[in-house]
Amino acid sequence: MPTGRIYVVNSPDLAASIERHPLKIAFRQVEALFSGRSVGPSPFAAKILATNIQSEEKHGSFLRDSVSNVHATLKPGGKLMETTRAMAKLLVPAIKELGEGGSGLRLCLTLGTSGHQSIGRLSDFGRGQSPPRYFQFARSRFQYTSHGIWTVFHIFSDTKVLNEIRAALTPFLKIEEKITGTVTYELDVGRVREIPILRSTMQEALRHCANGTRTRIVLEDIMLNDGYLLKKAAFLFMPNRSYHFDASICGSNVDEFDARRFIIFKPLDSAFREFGGGLERCAGRFFATNAVLTLCAVLAVRFDVEPAGGMRINPGVDDRDMALMVQQPRAKKFLVKFIPRAG
């Protein structure tokens, strides 16, 4: 926990102003400071992380260059679609194991999108075996696994929304019956982003669960909006919940889950910060969106989902760790049955 002066910013307008000064109110120092704790680098690697963070020197910066490379690779375009299709080829077999008693949706999404299925079958985990260190890192790094879980939960908790998504997916399904009588379904994953109700449900899930707190360090005294003086060396916190649950922005039903909210509602970036904001906005947001939408689309086509105990319950949001950008379910185990659909 930081010591010294702390600012908490609850205004979307002020948050937007802060994001316009990334060299004076910085995130990279925070990233370098806490990366050492999350991935355990060697002293030599930690030094590289902390070198030339703000690009004040002419030589390269590991943090800057690595983020720039990710942005370039995962921005909308051919490379992103190529990566998305490769991800889908890994994700579909992982989803198949869910219907065969696999070990869980989070593990399915993590292994299906990390490209490292070779570390073991899904069913190998959860039987007293310790996952490799890579998996522990991937699970913490890819917070969109929680994002995926929440989106799936809300889709399959509302029969009307589920049926609407299934109907919208039909034009993107290619159905082929083989000589053996086997029927195959091919889904165009490049088109699932075009389904308004699916995208809106995903965004509404993020509005409810992406309520972590963005952190910045003030590197020099700065006056914001002609009225707020931020002092050097202070930590600054921007809690997403303040913006996501502001009735003046989201309407009087702000506390409710409305799967159709984002079909019409188009908030400013400063008011809806599902992937952060400004220069440090998540570089992998387009890939994460594609992964979650693909997961939800394939599950909707292939399975019905029923609670294992016969009664639908809300697992609740675990909001005790505000360092997580996407909160996990409070219930550590939320057991359901994935039942293959007829046909």
Side-chain angles (χ1 to χ4, degrees):
M1 185 70 185
T3 58
R5 195 185 301 267
I6 293 175
Y7 301 107
V8 179
V9 179
N10 292 311
S11 164
D13 292 338
L14 194 56
S17 180
I18 288 167
E19 302 291 8
R20 287 194 287 270
H21 298 279
L23 298 181
K24 296 181 180 180
I25 308 173
F27 172 69
R28 287 178 184 168
Q29 276 78 0
V30 179
E31 190 174 23
L33 177 63
F34 291 102
S35 290
R37 300 181 182 180
S38 61
V39 300
S42 67
F44 178 74
K47 184 178 180 180
I48 292 176
L49 280 173
T51 298
N52 199 22
I53 294 177
Q54 291 297 95
S55 306
E56 62 274 9
E57 300 174 17
K58 291 183 178 180
H59 61 79
S61 163
F62 177 83
L63 279 177
R64 179 201 63 195
D65 295 344
S66 59
V67 171
S68 296
N69 288 336
V70 174
H71 273 287
T73 302
L74 296 183
K75 67 182 180 181
K79 287 185 178 180
L80 175 64
M81 188 50 58
E82 181 182 336
T83 305
T84 297
R85 295 189 188 282
M87 171 272 298
K89 290 181 180 179
L90 291 172
L91 185 60
V92 170
I95 290 175
K96 182 181 178 181
E97 287 202 24
L98 291 174
E100 301 171 352
S103 295
L105 191 57
R106 182 184 299 279
L107 189 55
C108 163
L109 187 55
T110 300
L111 296 184
T113 57
S114 67
H116 283 260
Q117 280 191 305
S118 60
I119 64 176
R121 284 176 50 83
L122 299 178
S123 56
D124 288 340
F125 298 108
R127 295 180 179 173
Q129 299 177 358
S130 298
R133 183 173 183 132
Y134 170 81
F135 174 71
Q136 293 174 328
F137 167 70
R139 186 170 181 175
S140 64
R141 176 64 181 88
F142 298 128
Q143 290 195 47
Y144 60 77
T145 56
S146 293
H147 171 196
I149 288 171
W150 283 117
T151 306
V152 170
F153 169 77
H154 286 293
I155 288 174
F156 283 91
S157 294
D158 189 323
T159 302
K160 188 174 181 180
V161 170
L162 175 59
N163 290 336
E164 188 174 340
I165 289 172
R166 284 172 171 167
L169 284 168
T170 300
F172 305 139
L173 276 174
K174 180 181 178 181
I175 303 175
E176 181 180 353
E177 185 172 356
K178 299 185 179 298
I179 299 177
T180 59
T182 303
V183 179
T184 62
Y185 296 82
E186 182 178 328
L187 177 66
D188 187 348
V189 298
R191 305 291 299 278
V192 295
R193 294 176 63 97
E194 301 174 16
I195 300 174
I197 182 61
L198 181 56
R199 282 188 61 88
S200 179
T201 305
M202 180 201 70
Q203 289 176 296
E204 180 71 346
L206 275 173
R207 188 180 72 84
H208 277 261
C209 71
N211 289 311
T213 300
R214 297 285 163 179
T215 306
R216 300 289 186 269
I217 297 177
V218 182
L219 300 182
E220 60 181 76
D221 291 358
I222 182 173
M223 181 70 73
L224 291 179
N225 296 4
D226 297 325
Y228 299 92
L229 175 63
L230 305 184
K231 301 294 290 183
K232 180 179 179 180
F235 272 82
L236 187 148
F237 297 113
M238 296 178 284
N240 283 355
R241 188 172 183 84
S242 296
Y243 320 131
H244 292 178
F245 286 85
D246 187 334
S248 67
I249 297 172
C250 299
S252 58
N253 68 338
V254 65
D255 293 324
E256 301 174 10
F257 188 95
D258 182 357
R260 294 171 178 79
R261 186 185 304 275
F262 284 86
I263 294 178
I264 300 174
F265 177 54
K266 306 297 181 185
L268 297 174
D269 287 345
S270 58
F272 183 50
R273 305 169 63 82
E274 78 279 34
F275 291 108
L279 184 65
E280 307 301 340
R281 197 171 188 186
C282 176
R285 63 190 182 277
F286 300 110
F287 175 75
T289 296
N290 287 353
V292 171
L293 292 179
T294 299
L295 170 74
C296 294
V298 174
L299 287 177
V301 169
R302 294 191 60 169
F303 295 104
D304 288 317
V305 178
E306 296 181 359
M311 181 181 297
R312 295 186 181 275
I313 62 171
N314 190 321
V317 177
D318 187 353
D319 56 5
R320 291 172 294 181
D321 187 351
M322 295 307 293
L324 288 175
M325 289 300 104
V326 180
Q327 271 70 60
Q328 301 182 53
R330 182 173 289 273
K332 297 305 179 185
K333 288 188 177 181
F334 183 55
L335 301 180
V336 298
K337 295 183 290 185
F338 289 89
I339 304 171
R341 298 177 70 204

